[in-house]
Amino acid sequence: MSVSMRDVRKVLDPEEPDYAAAARLGAESLPHLRTLVSGDDPLLAAKAAYAAGQLEGDSGQDVVTVAARSEDPALRVAAASAAASLPADSAAAVLTDLVADDDPGVRKVALAAVPENPPTELATGSSRPPSPRSGRPPSPCRTASSRWGRCPASGPIAV
């Protein structure tokens, strides 16, 4: 089945996209989703990023990663949300920087999307550069526990 940009836009253009239909378009939609994520329509870019996360397996990870690196916080939120639908290792790769994002909305969605048993670098934040204040990498668990009383990597935290 050949998928055109028109096919992808037909699914994503409505105010409420049919993400199940987007997933059914499969991996052949990826070049079009990547184009939309990199395009100049922020709403369509966010929809495309989320749709990429709905594709089978980790096939949409590269497109979600492009969205996660965007300067637009709304697109990074969409990437964090999409990561929740990716396999755990792929989700962790996308979320590693988003859990320590400067934007609190991005952090909140990213922390909620952390897989149940994340890789150590996601749980500890060791792959991120040191914080200017402490010289240590910021901990997503510290952020999560201070806000919600739990760390996605280890479950509830007594407060």
Side-chain angles (χ1 to χ4, degrees), residues 42-93:
L43 181 58
L44 193 55
K47 291 176 183 182
Y50 187 79
Q54 306 312 301
L55 297 176
E56 189 173 335
D58 65 353
S59 61
Q61 178 185 349
D62 290 342
V63 173
V64 176
T65 299
V66 169
R69 293 180 179 151
S70 171
E71 291 186 19
D72 182 352
L75 191 49
R76 295 195 310 274
V77 166
S81 184
S85 299
L86 293 171
D89 287 344
S90 298

Side-chain angles (χ1 to χ4, degrees), residues 5-152:
M5 177 63 88
R6 183 177 177 175
D7 297 327
V8 173
R9 294 288 303 257
K10 182 178 179 182
V11 173
L12 296 181
D13 276 340
E15 188 173 326
E16 292 292 328
D18 183 350
Y19 290 111
R24 286 191 298 271
L25 293 175
E28 287 190 32
S29 66
L30 285 168
H32 306 299
L33 294 173
R34 182 176 285 108
T35 297
L36 294 172
V37 163
S38 301
D40 57 2
D41 181 338
L43 181 58
L44 193 55
K47 291 176 183 182
Y50 187 79
Q54 306 312 301
L55 297 176
E56 189 173 335
D58 65 353
S59 61
Q61 178 185 349
D62 290 342
V63 173
V64 176
T65 299
V66 169
R69 293 180 179 151
S70 171
E71 291 186 19
D72 182 352
L75 191 49
R76 295 195 310 274
V77 166
S81 184
S85 299
L86 293 171
D89 287 344
S90 298
V94 170
L95 294 169
T96 298
D97 291 330
L98 296 179
V99 295
D101 197 275
D102 291 337
D103 186 277
V106 174
R107 284 194 310 270
K108 180 178 179 180
V109 175
L111 288 165
V114 171
E116 195 167 308
N117 296 307
T120 305
E121 66 273 5
L122 181 58
T124 63
S126 63
S127 67
R128 285 185 301 285
S131 158
R133 277 197 238 173
S134 69
R136 293 187 313 265
S139 167
C141 288
R142 170 183 272 160
T143 303
S145 63
S146 69
R147 289 178 178 249
W148 301 293
R150 75 177 197 88
C151 173

